[in-house]
Structure formats: structure tokens, C-alpha cells
Amino acid sequence: FFHQYQRLNHRALRQVCHDALLQSSYFAEDTIFASGDACEKMFFVHWGVAKYTPSISMTGAVSSKITDGEDSKATRSRQSRQSWTSPWSGSRSLQTITASSCGQNRRELTKGRWLAEAALWTRWVHRGDLQATTTTNMLCLDAMKFESATRMYADCRIMAVAYAESFLRALNNTRHPTDVLDFNVRRLRERISEEEEF
């Protein structure tokens, strides 16, 4: 997504990095986030190693809703842990997702991996625990600041809406969603590129 975002409008990506990207460092064994925590950031492992352990039981509904800026932090904080809506896409409800048993083992995450992308596109609660294995540096992309910066550029907003719709569709078809999503993001990008050609 971000490669396409930069190709579309490099000034917009610079704005996002300036306004919404923060750097955080953690010592070995520090907890970066825990299952059930409200999530308002996407995380990128910049360097170091972190261990992600999916929760064995999390439930939630993901829905999407078009807004034009009326979605405030206060509104977001009033949302229950069981239901989230997206400021990016569609006004229809999407199916409920349930992760009663993740059936996945711990994962070691190193440079270049990302987590909690869903926070950019919908209201999200962490569905596992992330702990630093070594001294680790994370880049954290604030979801609300990302949204605000993206809304300043119409071309990027249009692309983000299309991506969010595809992302939520894929998320709702994921049997056991976690903060580390394994669905094919490349296919999402290809679908968006195909739609842009028409």
C-alpha cells in the first residue's frame, strides 16, 4: 500500500511521515502491547526482534462506514470492544469475525515486518501480545493522524478508501484474525490497480 501511496503522491507520504510516524524503543522482555488493548497505531519493526503470541479468544465485529471527518477521537473511544467502524469505506455492515481459537503459535518478527495494520482501516483491539525479544526499535503509525494527513490529498484518499474496502473484505474472510495478518496484500494492491485503470 505505502509503495503505491508514494508513487501516487510523494508529498502526501512525506506529510504522513512528518505528522503520524513516531519511533519507540523497547528493551528485551518489554511488553509492547497486550491482547485486549485498544489499538490506534500500526507497528513496523525497524530493528531488533519481537515475539507475537496470538490470543486464544477474541471476538469482534468489523463494519465499515463512510465519514467525512466527523469521526472524532471521542467517538472512537466510545466504541465497544466488540464493534468497530471504518472512517474510510462503505456504509454497509460486514460480517462478524470470531477468533475463538487462533491455532497459531508464537511468531518472531524482525526488521521489515508490520503489525496491527487493521488499526488504519477499522477500530481494532489487539488480538495478541507483543514482547521485545531483544532491544527493539518500532516505527508507530498513528491511525488518526494518518487519516487526517491522507484526507488532505484527494488522490490518496480515493486510493485509501478502495484499499480499506478490500482490506476489510479480506479481514472478514479471515478465520482467525490476529495483529499479524497473512492474507495476500499484493492481491489487494493488484485489485486496486485494476480498478484504477477503468
Side-chain angles (χ1 to χ4, degrees), residues 31 42 111 146:
T31 297
M42 179 179 181
K111 181 178 181 171
F146 167 74

Side-chain angles (χ1 to χ4, degrees), residues 111-130:
K111 181 178 181 171
R113 288 303 308 249
W114 63 87
L115 300 96
E117 180 183 359
L120 299 182
W121 314 118
T122 190
R123 277 139 187 96
W124 188 250
V125 173
H126 286 298
R127 293 172 176 266
D129 302 322
L130 184 65

Side-chain angles (χ1 to χ4, degrees), residues 3 9 48 77 134 194:
H3 291 293
N9 191 327
S77 66
T134 65
E194 287 170 10

Side-chain angles (χ1 to χ4, degrees), residues 62-68 70 84-94 121-123 151 157 160-166 168-169:
V62 174
S63 60
S64 78
K65 174 182 161 193
I66 287 261
T67 63
D68 286 313
E70 71 274 5
W84 304 272
T85 56
S86 172
W88 295 103
S89 58
S91 59
R92 66 202 180 283
S93 289
L94 302 177
W121 314 118
T122 190
R123 277 139 187 96
R151 286 184 183 278
R157 183 182 187 283
V161 168
Y163 183 87
E165 288 174 352
S166 295
L168 291 175
R169 197 171 299 118

